[in-house]
Amino acid sequence: MPSKKQGYSLVERYLPYLLIAPALGYLLFFIGYPLTQGVLLAFTDQNGHFTLQHVYYLLYSPSSNFWPALEDTLALAAVIIPIQIMLALGFSLMLSANFKGKDMALYILIIPLTISDVAGGLIWYSLLTANGFFNKLFMALGIINQPIQFFGYQFRPMEFIAIVLAEVWRATALVFVIIFAGLQMISKEYIEAAEVFGAGTWTKLRHIIFPMLKPSVQTALLIRTLFAFQVFGVVMVLAGRDIPVLAGEAYYEQTVLYHYGVAALYALIIAAISVVIGYIYIRMFKAQYLREVTM
Amino acid sequence: MSTPGETPPIRYYLLRILFAGIVVLSCTWVLLPIIISILYAFSTPQDFYSPKMIIPLHYTLSNIQKLLALGAAKATMNSIIVAVMTVIFSFALGLPAGYAFARFAFKGKDSLKLLIIGLRMFPMLVIAVPLVTLYIRLGLNDTLLGVALAHTTMALPFVILITSSIFVSVPIELEEAGYVFGLDRKQTFLRITLPLALPGLTAAAIFTFIMSWNEVFMAAVLTLTNRTLPAFILTSAMAAPDIIKFAASFIMILPALIFVFIARKYLISMWGITVK
Amino acid sequence: MVDVKLRGLVKRFGKTVALRGIDLDIRDGEFIVLLGPSGCGKTTTLRIIAGLEKPDEGRVLFGEKDVTYLPPKDRNVSMVFQSYAVWPHMKVRDNIAFPLKIRGVPQEEIDKRVKWAAELLQIDELLDRYPHQLSGGQRQRVAVARAIVIEPDVLLMDEPLSNLDALLRVKMRSELKKLQRRIGVTTIYVTHDQVEAMTMGDRIAVMNAGKIQQVGTPEEIYLKPANTFVAGFVGSPQMNFFDATVRLDGEKLLDAGEFTISLSDDLAAALKDYNNKTVIVGIRPEYMYPRELAPKNMVGPMIKGVIDFVEALGSDTIIHLKVGNKHLVIKLSGSHHYRIGEELVVVFSLDKLHIFDKNTGRAII
């Protein structure tokens, strides 16, 4: 083998590996080390002995918020994600039509992509607070007499709604980008063929567009689910710990209570859930990738 | 069903108006919150607290000034420093890797690429918690460098994949022409590939900047006194009066809005790469 | 300027073998065309000469110098790419000047040479434009100007005309050929288009399946194809092929089943090792005539068939003739009226016959 490759210098032959090695090494260290450290923190006491005390605290202590946090994280995901998928599908179909100002509309719809969850929370706070835009508007229109209260522990369901609104507003753009890209991949000729053979709008949607969009929708669904378990900033801004979420509890245990072991445990749980979802995603992606390669 | 040549005017125009309405509504849904929050950020307190003033009529810079005096000036500076460091680190590490993925065929390439794609899905915020103990040992806790290193971990898989796809989009024959006409690999990269990839790479760099600028969890966990802007907002500004918060949100979204404006044509492909 | 020698080039891409031993001597100042179907290895050969690929086995010699493992930049070659590869971030002037700049040519000299090349290619008006402001044909001229400006030892062209429209292609064909004559650079030109090869090449190397099938002047390639591949690849419509058995015991003839062809003594002598064996017989469509149109003094075998189909191309008429189970194509120049279903007797001259070994495909005569 080496004799055949004469003329290739050593550096040249290993160049791609040399180029990738620093990045890969960095990633493996900055992910591998904290994960190992996290396991140590989560399952040992101050003396370095194995312990399950953090696990017991997390699961059973009255001061632990784990179960409510899991519940609220899931509840938020369950409410937010379906709305986002529907909305993103609607936006995508809307922008697949040709009309004046289409590019403009496209740019406007993707603006929230670049807005952070903290800023998104604050923006909706400006709309929903007692002196906010909507309360003032509805009072001026005579629809309500009293401001609707969205914030404060006694208004937890309203806080929940505020978070949903802010997240739908901010993160639908991400779902939209995925689905819109998928829609553009569908050859116009498939749709035109359906039209030529007499399909109406609904038939086209039902039998041509939706089935072909399925992979994109799946991708969007998985990625949104993945991000749902990391929800943090928007919740902290709009509800604090009134609505506990997993990442928020990790932050609280770490920075307020200094329960490093418990915080590490939260981190590991989020990581584990994500790895499972990510694994499904990679499986799907790999199948798709291989299909593209062989085609 | 209408017969050809005969237009059904009423139904046709109604549908067009309905469609235009939906488009306007969709754009309003996105734009209105941003516009309102910016107007409120510059509103005088009197206008904001007056129940009659749906849209404030008097504007002032004092909200921003008060916010900056509260510590946001330093936090903004910190955020910029962290974001710039993140861009430098993640490009220094990620750009060569991206080039390798784009231009070389080598053993294990597919597996490595899948690994990077997989890592991109990893919830990087979780590394912040255990990282604190390492940072305390290394003296990196509560430093901007520490935050930038963590942000680099978050940005690196994106940068590798984005730069790789940018380099792929530079036709390989342009590079080969460089080789044939007398350049070696390094010169070809610097004089042919890089200039051609520059617009895309710039957009990718701004994108990375925004990623770091927006990140709050790691920054909040890893810093105490050297807060970045989102961490500062989360820990300090939440106690401030409402209009100060709106000022904070304005500073937060400003770079994002500038980015959308200058790099809008790259935005979709960029996000396409980050999520596909 | 140099001569180029290829010695036993072998190149594998993973499991596929692209080149299976290429030997070729290219003379100093020659215009040689590598002709073959896609995937035959012609582009790989060119890229190995350029230094863009390295062979797994074999040598590339420029003159006496072994350049096999030399990087492209140290070979003093230049290349016109299929996509032209005109750098989009440089003006036309800078594109042409770039190879000179790299070589450290003084600015004064650069200006002079760029002017020379641009005038030669008639693009001196376009020097301050960017490539995206040019048409495909203009971009192609820029690519050629860039390639000749350095006075390369070897000029390589990879299907440079394939992205042009038909009219422009014909025009550029003669222009490139004239240009090469004028500057006298050793030129290696890759194409799958036989017309390009025939009109431009001093010599043609026909390639297939990673091997050179035949090297020769266009006339040699056309008149004396070395095997069935070359015979079939060059010429349009394709040469007629059919199997026939050699009979030398009684009357000396080729027995094709539906018809026989009487052999001259010379042919019979050439076929003496093939008595009672099957050979492949080839005859070009343009050398078969309906009896009534045949040249006056022409004598030769006649074949009777039924017209299956007629393509009237205006300048040519192509007749598809059914002879039993065989199918013959006849090309007549000019416009002629033949009806489908009509019987037709065609005649051809024995000296236009090609006979190939059935097993090896090699030409016997």
Side-chain angles (χ1 to χ4, degrees):
Chain A
M1 192 65 181
S3 67
K4 278 178 197 158
K5 292 285 177 195
Q6 57 183 301
Y8 288 88
S9 73
L10 215 59
V11 171
E12 207 173 324
R13 210 179 323 155
Y14 293 107
L15 190 57
Y17 300 105
L18 290 176
L19 293 174
I20 291 170
L24 205 63
Y26 188 94
L27 282 173
L28 293 182
F29 176 78
F30 269 89
I31 296 170
Y33 182 90
L35 278 189
T36 325
Q37 193 67 31
V39 174
L40 281 178
L41 284 170
F43 294 104
T44 56
D45 56 23
Q46 293 96 322
N47 306 320
H49 298 303
F50 176 77
T51 174
L52 286 176
Q53 70 182 70
H54 305 308
V55 181
Y56 285 125
Y57 171 90
L58 182 92
L59 295 179
Y60 304 120
S61 164
S63 43
S64 163
N65 242 345
F66 175 70
W67 293 110
L70 186 63
E71 203 176 293
D72 281 340
T73 305
L74 289 172
L76 280 172
V79 175
I80 292 168
I81 295 174
I83 299 176
Q84 288 181 327
I85 300 272
M86 300 303 287
L87 210 54
L89 267 173
F91 286 164
S92 301
L93 290 174
M94 178 177 94
L95 283 180
S96 67
N98 271 321
F99 57 90
K100 221 170 125 190
K102 176 181 163 169
D103 286 351
M104 191 69 185
L106 181 61
Y107 294 140
I108 289 174
L109 287 185
I110 57 175
I111 287 175
L113 277 179
T114 51
I115 292 178
S116 74
D117 49 355
V118 170
L122 287 173
I123 287 170
W124 275 84
Y125 186 76
S126 75
L127 297 177
L128 299 176
T129 184
N131 283 302
F133 177 72
F134 282 127
N135 272 322
K136 285 201 269 196
L137 180 69
F138 290 153
M139 285 205 292
L141 293 174
I143 298 170
I144 50 173
N145 299 321
Q146 291 277 319
I148 302 170
Q149 295 295 336
F150 271 90
F151 304 106
Y153 187 78
Q154 64 273 42
F155 304 111
R156 287 182 73 246
M158 297 310 276
E159 286 185 330
F160 191 91
I161 291 172
I163 295 169
V164 169
L165 280 170
E167 269 303 88
V168 167
W169 177 79
R170 186 186 69 87
T172 297
L174 174 59
V175 184
F176 162 68
V177 165
I178 300 169
I179 293 180
F180 184 62
L183 191 63
Q184 297 212 300
M185 298 273 282
I186 301 177
S187 162
K188 281 262 181 297
E189 290 194 357
Y190 289 126
I191 298 165
E192 283 168 356
E195 267 168 40
V196 169
F197 291 115
T201 308
W202 174 244
T203 318
K204 266 190 305 188
L205 278 178
R206 171 78 185 74
H207 293 286
I208 310 289
I209 296 175
F210 286 158
M212 294 185 106
L213 270 183
K214 209 174 130 199
S216 318
V217 174
Q218 279 173 337
T219 307
L221 205 63
L222 277 166
I223 285 173
R224 267 308 300 157
T225 316
L226 215 61
F227 286 168
F229 286 94
Q230 303 170 39
V231 66
F232 175 67
V234 64
V235 178
M236 294 306 274
V237 166
L238 291 176
R241 280 183 83 222
D242 300 349
I243 311 264
V245 288
L246 291 175
E249 289 309 299
Y251 172 75
Y252 181 75
E253 297 282 350
Q254 170 91 8
T255 60
V256 179
L257 302 179
Y258 302 109
H259 287 162
Y260 289 164
V262 179
L265 208 50
Y266 271 109
L268 291 178
I269 290 168
I270 296 170
I273 294 171
S274 304
V275 166
V276 172
I277 300 168
Y279 177 73
I280 301 170
Y281 175 74
I282 285 290
R283 283 274 304 264
M284 214 175 76
F285 180 86
K286 197 174 175 184
Q288 214 173 315
Y289 179 74
L290 291 178
R291 212 166 35 241
E292 275 163 25
V293 167
T294 49
M295 251 161 41
Chain B
M1 272 284 154
S2 60
T3 50
E6 176 193 321
T7 46
I10 294 173
R11 190 165 162 254
Y12 175 75
Y13 285 112
L14 277 181
L15 274 174
R16 283 195 59 162
I17 290 166
L18 183 69
F19 184 79
I22 293 173
V23 173
V24 170
L25 200 66
S26 306
C27 294
T28 311
W29 156 251
V30 170
L31 284 181
L32 184 78
I34 297 175
I35 294 167
I36 295 294
S37 74
I38 293 175
L39 292 181
Y40 282 10
F42 291 95
S43 162
T44 57
Q46 292 83 347
D47 278 18
F48 172 69
Y49 288 110
S50 150
K52 295 260 159 356
M53 291 278 194
I54 304 163
I55 301 290
L57 294 175
H58 304 92
Y59 296 97
T60 170
L61 284 175
S62 77
N63 303 327
I64 303 274
Q65 284 159 347
K66 275 180 202 149
L67 176 76
L68 293 177
L70 273 174
K74 189 185 163 213
T76 304
M77 206 52 225
N78 287 346
S79 266
I80 292 170
I81 292 168
V82 167
V84 168
M85 281 200 284
T86 302
V87 171
I88 293 171
F89 295 160
S90 59
F91 270 71
L93 292 163
L95 195 101
Y99 184 75
F101 279 120
R103 279 296 187 254
F104 292 91
F106 52 93
K107 229 185 234 164
K109 176 174 169 174
D110 285 351
S111 324
L112 280 173
K113 191 142 191 203
L114 272 177
L115 176 68
I116 304 285
I117 291 165
L119 287 180
R120 188 195 42 179
M121 289 296 125
F122 190 78
M124 293 299 180
L125 61 88
V126 306
I127 68 167
V129 171
L131 216 45
V132 171
T133 48
L134 174 71
Y135 276 9
I136 290 172
R137 213 178 308 154
L138 296 178
L140 284 172
N141 203 34
D142 197 20
T143 64
L144 300 181
L145 178 63
V147 180
L149 290 176
H151 282 183
T152 300
T153 317
M154 168 183 74
L156 195 47
F158 294 80
V159 171
I160 294 172
L161 295 170
I162 288 172
T163 53
S164 164
S165 91
I166 291 167
F167 287 132
V168 164
S169 72
V170 176
I172 195 153
E173 282 200 340
L174 295 177
E175 284 185 13
E176 290 179 344
Y179 298 139
V180 166
F181 290 111
L183 299 177
D184 61 24
R185 194 182 273 287
K186 199 177 110 203
Q187 291 168 320
T188 303
F189 179 77
L190 291 176
R191 300 179 73 166
I192 310 281
T193 319
L194 207 55
L196 289 171
L198 208 57
L201 293 177
T202 311
I206 304 175
F207 184 83
T208 310
F209 182 98
I210 303 267
M211 237 175 159
S212 163
W213 173 269
N214 281 347
E215 200 287 327
V216 60
F217 185 91
M218 296 203 269
V221 169
L222 293 173
T223 61
L224 198 60
T225 55
N226 285 313
R227 297 292 195 193
T228 63
L229 186 60
F232 167 80
I233 293 172
L234 207 63
T235 52
S236 310
M238 290 317 288
D242 283 355
I243 39 175
I244 304 293
K245 292 183 197 168
F246 305 149
S249 106
F250 172 73
I251 298 179
M252 276 298 296
I253 63 174
L254 194 58
L257 293 181
I258 294 170
F259 176 49
V260 171
F261 185 72
I262 58 177
R264 56 186 183 276
K265 101 179 153 106
Y266 290 95
L267 200 60
I268 288 195
S269 59
M270 209 119 295
W271 267 99
I273 290 156
T274 54
V275 297
K276 274 206 94 173
Chain C
M1 267 158 277
V2 296
D3 56 338
V4 177
K5 298 190 200 79
L6 309 181
R7 293 282 175 268
L9 293 181
V10 172
K11 178 71 184 175
R12 301 179 195 88
F13 293 106
K15 286 202 176 67
T16 56
V17 186
L19 301 180
R20 305 167 184 273
I22 298 290
D23 291 284
L24 185 62
D25 282 22
I26 299 157
R27 295 167 201 143
D28 188 358
E30 182 177 35
F31 193 120
I32 194 159
V33 178
L34 304 182
L35 173 68
S38 60
C40 72
K42 56 190 191 299
T43 296
T44 306
T45 308
L46 192 78
R47 290 169 60 83
I48 287 175
I49 299 170
L52 292 169
E53 306 271 0
K54 285 166 189 157
D56 293 314
E57 291 168 31
R59 295 260 163 265
V60 179
L61 303 171
F62 283 8
E64 294 310 309
K65 192 172 162 207
D66 186 337
V67 299
T68 315
Y69 297 114
L70 224 53
K73 68 185 177 71
D74 300 328
R75 297 189 181 205
N76 198 30
V77 294
S78 61
M79 186 158 169
V80 180
F81 290 81
Q82 186 170 9
S83 66
Y84 317 140
V86 173
W87 297 302
H89 59 306
M90 298 180 196
K91 284 181 180 169
V92 169
R93 182 190 304 284
D94 300 319
N95 257 287
I96 301 173
F98 195 68
L100 297 170
K101 266 189 209 144
I102 297 166
R103 284 166 171 74
V105 175
Q107 188 60 45
E108 208 174 308
E109 175 74 8
I110 291 181
D111 293 341
K112 217 168 75 191
R113 306 208 41 136
V114 169
K115 190 163 171 279
W116 167 78
E119 276 169 8
L120 211 54
L121 271 302
Q122 299 150 34
I123 47 170
D124 35 336
E125 307 279 305
L126 308 173
L127 284 175
D128 289 312
R129 296 210 194 157
Y130 278 99
H132 67 87
Q133 298 166 301
L134 305 181
S135 70
Q138 290 169 329
R139 240 174 285 175
Q140 214 256 354
R141 285 167 186 274
V142 176
V144 175
R146 182 179 63 180
I148 60 168
V149 78
I150 51 168
E151 296 189 328
D153 286 339
V154 182
L155 174 60
L156 307 168
M157 300 204 208
D158 185 8
E159 310 227 12
L161 305 184
S162 62
N163 286 338
L164 299 180
D165 63 55
L167 270 177
L168 206 53
R169 205 173 335 178
V170 174
K171 185 163 172 261
M172 281 309 286
R173 227 153 55 194
S174 56
E175 268 195 53
L176 282 183
K177 179 68 191 166
K178 273 189 257 173
L179 185 73
Q180 192 267 344
R181 284 258 167 76
R182 176 140 29 132
I183 60 178
V185 60
T186 310
T187 302
I188 305 169
Y189 185 104
V190 160
T191 184
H192 65 269
D193 181 336
Q194 49 160 314
V195 181
E196 266 175 38
M198 301 296 276
T199 53
M200 297 173 80
D202 295 329
R203 286 193 304 154
I204 299 171
V206 183
M207 292 183 68
N208 188 40
K211 288 195 79 86
I212 291 184
Q213 305 291 324
Q214 185 176 4
V215 186
T217 62
E219 292 74 24
E220 284 167 352
I221 298 285
Y222 178 76
L223 295 173
K224 290 183 192 139
N227 55 35
T228 46
F229 176 80
V230 177
F233 192 76
V234 176
S236 173
Q238 206 188 28
M239 183 184 280
N240 292 296
F241 291 112
F242 47 86
D243 285 359
T245 310
V246 181
R247 308 279 185 212
L248 299 175
D249 297 332
E251 194 190 345
K252 295 175 175 50
L253 50 79
L254 288 167
D255 183 357
E258 287 86 354
F259 54 88
T260 60
I261 300 168
S262 302
L263 290 171
S264 63
D265 291 344
D266 294 350
L267 281 175
L271 289 167
K272 64 180 189 324
D273 295 339
Y274 290 86
N275 193 14
N276 293 322
K277 287 187 186 154
T278 307
V279 293
I280 299 172
V281 178
I283 174 85
R284 292 203 185 273
E286 50 271 39
Y287 293 127
M288 300 175 92
Y289 307 91
R291 193 166 39 183
E292 60 276 18
L293 293 177
K296 281 267 162 49
N297 49 1
M298 182 164 160
V299 283
M302 294 187 199
I303 299 170
K304 191 160 94 178
V306 177
I307 296 177
D308 193 29
F309 182 61
V310 179
E311 296 174 65
L313 303 177
S315 63
D316 300 310
T317 305
I318 292 163
I319 301 170
H320 296 250
L321 197 67
K322 246 175 102 88
V323 185
N325 285 325
K326 291 193 169 58
H327 186 105
L328 295 178
V329 178
I330 296 121
K331 181 177 165 189
L332 305 172
S333 54
S335 172
H336 302 273
H337 288 283
Y338 287 99
R339 274 200 308 277
I340 293 171
E342 207 176 321
E343 270 201 354
L344 189 72
V345 176
V346 292
V347 58
F348 57 91
S349 163
L350 265 188
D351 57 358
K352 298 296 182 196
L353 214 56
H354 300 268
I355 301 173
F356 305 94
D357 186 300
K358 172 94 171 153
N359 297 318
T360 61
R362 263 195 219 112
I364 304 166
I365 359 171

